Amino acid sequence: MRILFVVIVGVALGMTGCKKKPTTTPTESPPPSGVRGNSNYVAGGGAVQNVRQEAKRAVTLNDMHQIGLMISMSEIENNKMPSKNEIYSLLSQTPNLRKLIDDGDVILTGTKSREGLWAYEVDADVKGGIGLVAGVPNRYRADEIKQYLGQ
């Protein structure tokens, strides 16, 4: 009889349950999908954040490679380096690359030198980042980007 009573009370308590705590939303929301910014290492960002940054770097390197190919093709066709406006109009064929320029994630330099800095990632001249030099995307320190910009 006691066992039956304990089981019934236990089932009744189990059915009512506990008061559930309200779920809280995180205070820091992730950036919108279109916002990319600089893909450099984040000190103190933790492993997860820096894995995200590595993924950003891979995407940015690919995007810069595509921009470099378009600029190179234009240079070969016209026998001269395209201007900033010409590059921008070339990028209208690929909306995702043009969006990088529109959003300010990638800055075109408009250099007329084949060996110069064609484009670089936002804040690469301050924190370091990805630059497109002579059609080849690569990671550079901030002082290297500044040196290319000074030429």
Side-chain angles (χ1 to χ4, degrees):
M1 188 73 149
R2 282 187 185 167
I3 294 176
L4 183 61
F5 178 73
V6 170
V7 169
I8 292 173
V9 169
V11 168
L13 287 174
M15 299 278 288
T16 59
C18 303
K19 261 191 169 180
K20 296 194 183 210
K21 295 180 181 176
T23 58
T24 58
T25 57
T27 56
E28 185 178 325
S29 61
S33 60
V35 177
R36 295 179 25 184
N38 189 289
S39 64
N40 219 5
Y41 172 80
V42 177
V48 173
Q49 179 62 32
N50 283 308
V51 168
R52 286 185 192 129
Q53 291 298 94
E54 179 57 35
K56 274 187 186 180
R57 274 191 294 279
V59 170
T60 303
L61 280 167
N62 183 48
D63 291 342
M64 291 289 237
H65 177 72
Q66 296 300 319
I67 292 171
L69 287 175
M70 293 183 91
I71 294 172
S72 293
M73 287 182 352
S74 174
E75 180 200 11
I76 290 168
E77 288 174 7
N78 301 323
N79 237 4
K80 68 178 179 94
M81 284 293 289
S83 69
K84 203 176 194 179
N85 292 334
E86 291 169 338
I87 295 169
Y88 189 75
S89 65
L90 283 172
L91 294 177
S92 64
Q93 300 167 6
T94 54
N96 62 330
L97 296 179
R98 187 168 180 162
K99 186 169 178 4
L100 293 174
I101 308 301
D102 291 340
D103 291 347
D105 292 331
V106 172
I107 292 109
L108 296 173
T109 62
T111 184
K112 293 294 180 180
S113 168
R114 170 86 172 105
E115 295 79 26
L117 178 67
W118 296 1
Y120 61 95
E121 187 178 29
V122 65
D123 292 336
D125 56 338
V126 178
K127 308 190 255 189
I130 298 172
L132 182 64
V133 177
V136 180
N138 207 347
R139 291 179 65 189
Y140 294 97
R141 295 186 319 267
D143 61 328
E144 293 172 319
I145 295 287
K146 285 180 186 175
Q147 181 180 0
Y148 278 113
L149 287 171
Q151 292 177 348

